[in-house]
Amino acid sequence: MNQCIIWIKLLLRKCLSIFQYTKIRTADSHYQMQQFNQVELNADKDIENNLKEELKNENYETELATSDLETKIQSQKQQLIEKQEIIEEIPQPIDISTVRQFIETTPNIDIHNKEILTELGNKSIEIYHSILYDYDGYEQLEDNQDEFSYWIKYIETPEKFQIHQMRYKYTLNTTIQKYMAFMKNLELQKKLDSSIDQFEQHYSDDSLQINYLRYKKILFMDPRDFLFAKFTKSIDENTVFEISKSIENDEFQPFNPSSKSTTRAFLLMSGNYIRQIEENKLEIQTYSECNMKLKLKPMMTKTASKNEIKKLIKKYRDHFNQQ
Ligand SMILES: *[C@@H]1O[C@H](CO)[C@@H](O)[C@H](O)[C@H]1NC(C)=O
Ligand SMILES: *[C@@H]1O[C@H](CO)[C@@H](O)[C@H](O)[C@H]1NC(C)=O
């Protein structure tokens, strides 16, 4: 008899979780299926009631089992509700054409209009968050050697410019506060990257910076410059998003204009997802998509761009390890 009850209980519990699962799936189509390992069956709503009825016709022992089961059903329901709440914090997927349109558009903005800039910042963070784990179609050029991983993908614009989409992940021995102070120090940045000609700050507060960056002529490449807004958002004390996006502005003038002709390039989207993973260790996940107005074929540039990034990261590391 006991064995039989246990068996029915197991069966019943299984039916119920399948039932619950189906209910949740219908209620929320974005539900992540891998959270569940049950096989999807055609759940019959009546299974629960029928089995319960049958159990009730048994003796006292069975009644105990039924009430025990009811408690289990309650707690299972609660667990499912809690799970669903956690999942709702995952950003809703944004359709790919909305993402691409946002990234490929460089807005023309009055750089004194803080409200429009904040709105752009909010949207940038939302879009960046939604593509954070999209590694589809990327080529991985380095896999966690020296805690550095690097992936790359290319697209070509109608003007035949080659656009790099880079993703890389690395660690630094430091804290979020020190990292932020370091990144805000443009003079220091200039010192670390000898190809920078000018790095100017045209506005700065806790969550927004307007920066102008100009690179020197490098080999085959005319000087390139960027005007961009950088948005910073703390999610909690251990997590920060940092997103840069180019903007256009007809009235904008750099403090130190270049005497040479300079090509305006675009940071379509460049974001860092920064997490304090240990007391003195950050993990930084970067996505960067940039139109450098270059027509060089990816084959010629991909290893070079990886090595440039690696060199720069080494300089960051040396800086923090010397402290
Ligand atoms: C930006 O997001 C913050 C919360 O994250 C919100 O308080 C604010 O109203 C938003 N601003 C704009 C202009 O969308
Ligand atoms: C962090 O510090 C440790 C101990 O000093 C060192 O072995 C390691 O290479 C450093 N890692 C980075 C990424 O700088």
Side-chain angles (χ1 to χ4, degrees):
M1 183 60 218
N2 266 335
Q3 289 254 316
C4 181
I5 291 177
I6 289 165
W7 186 83
I8 291 176
K9 267 170 71 175
L10 283 175
L11 174 74
L12 186 49
R13 210 182 307 161
K14 203 160 191 173
C15 292
L16 273 174
S17 54
I18 289 165
F19 170 60
Q20 298 277 3
Y21 169 40
T22 315
K23 222 162 74 177
I24 294 255
R25 281 229 326 140
T26 348
D28 181 359
S29 59
H30 303 304
Y31 200 83
Q32 301 209 327
M33 283 189 61
Q34 63 267 33
Q35 300 270 340
F36 282 88
N37 48 21
Q38 285 104 330
V39 186
E40 195 176 353
L41 295 175
N42 279 330
D44 181 351
K45 281 187 198 177
D46 296 324
I47 289 178
E48 179 184 353
N49 294 333
N50 290 345
L51 279 176
K52 246 195 242 170
E53 270 316 304
E54 262 174 50
L55 280 170
K56 274 185 186 149
N57 294 337
E58 296 283 345
N59 55 21
Y60 175 67
E61 206 177 355
T62 321
E63 256 168 49
L64 277 185
T66 320
S67 73
D68 177 32
L69 200 74
E70 236 129 43
T71 327
K72 284 225 171 71
I73 295 168
Q74 276 312 319
S75 94
Q76 202 169 28
K77 268 187 190 151
Q78 191 53 38
Q79 277 172 18
L80 281 163
I81 288 167
E82 280 162 13
K83 245 189 194 157
Q84 198 178 20
E85 274 164 6
I86 294 168
I87 283 154
E88 270 158 13
E89 284 175 21
I90 294 174
Q92 294 292 313
I94 302 173
D95 73 273
I96 188 73
S97 65
T98 310
V99 170
R100 291 311 310 164
Q101 195 188 2
F102 180 82
I103 291 179
E104 286 165 19
T105 307
T106 299
N108 200 317
I109 282 180
D110 170 6
I111 61 173
H112 305 292
N113 190 334
K114 296 296 163 311
E115 197 181 327
I116 291 200
L117 282 161
T118 310
E119 208 176 292
L120 181 69
N122 283 3
K123 192 75 189 162
S124 300
I125 288 162
E126 193 191 335
I127 296 277
Y128 174 67
H129 200 179
S130 80
I131 58 169
L132 191 56
Y133 299 105
D134 174 16
Y135 286 79
D136 208 27
Y138 281 78
E139 180 184 0
Q140 183 163 21
L141 296 186
E142 189 133 346
D143 183 11
N144 206 29
Q145 291 165 30
D146 307 320
E147 301 191 36
F148 173 70
S149 301
Y150 183 95
W151 297 258
I152 195 156
K153 192 170 154 180
Y154 287 89
I155 47 175
E156 192 179 87
T157 69
E159 304 85 12
K160 304 264 184 252
F161 291 126
Q162 301 294 328
I163 296 190
H164 300 51
Q165 295 173 316
M166 290 187 281
R167 288 179 181 277
Y168 47 94
K169 199 153 78 174
Y170 61 101
T171 57
L172 293 176
N173 284 334
T174 190
T175 63
I176 287 189
Q177 288 71 23
K178 284 184 192 162
Y179 169 88
M180 302 290 264
F182 168 73
M183 285 298 166
K184 268 195 175 167
N185 186 339
L186 302 190
E187 277 310 308
L188 196 53
Q189 297 301 316
K190 229 174 107 172
K191 249 187 248 166
L192 289 181
D193 187 348
S194 58
S195 49
I196 294 178
D197 174 21
Q198 286 292 322
F199 206 168
E200 302 172 353
Q201 190 145 88
H202 287 251
Y203 177 82
S204 175
D205 66 27
D206 283 346
S207 58
L208 169 69
Q209 289 173 55
I210 305 285
N211 294 335
Y212 172 78
L213 172 63
R214 186 168 67 232
Y215 285 103
K216 293 172 188 160
K217 187 177 172 68
I218 319 169
L219 295 177
F220 43 80
M221 208 166 97
D222 273 353
R224 296 291 194 270
D225 67 354
F226 298 89
L227 170 65
F228 63 96
K230 180 170 169 179
F231 309 102
T232 307
K233 183 173 178 174
S234 296
I235 303 302
D236 56 48
E237 59 179 12
N238 294 320
T239 318
V240 174
F241 279 105
E242 231 182 29
I243 320 281
S244 299
K245 182 158 178 64
S246 276
I247 54 175
E248 286 183 285
N249 182 264
D250 303 333
E251 267 114 67
F252 179 83
Q253 284 298 329
F255 300 137
N256 294 290
S258 173
S259 52
K260 303 180 197 88
S261 85
T262 305
T263 303
R264 181 58 53 88
F266 297 103
L267 279 176
L268 299 173
M269 164 88 59
S270 175
N272 296 317
Y273 175 54
I274 303 154
R275 286 184 308 140
Q276 191 82 54
I277 52 170
E278 282 169 29
E279 201 179 320
N280 194 43
K281 189 170 182 177
L282 294 184
E283 186 187 87
I284 302 175
Q285 206 171 324
T286 301
Y287 174 79
S288 176
E289 179 169 342
C290 208
N291 186 353
M292 294 293 279
K293 301 273 180 77
L294 268 181
K295 292 183 177 173
L296 288 173
K297 289 290 168 218
M299 279 311 290
M300 295 171 67
T301 55
K302 67 179 185 187
T303 310
S305 26
K306 184 201 79 180
N307 289 339
E308 284 307 306
I309 299 289
K310 220 177 156 176
K311 258 194 255 171
L312 193 61
I313 290 174
K314 181 170 184 320
K315 287 183 186 167
Y316 292 166
R317 285 178 169 167
D318 290 347
H319 168 84
F320 288 116
N321 288 335
Q322 275 161 18
Q323 286 194 326

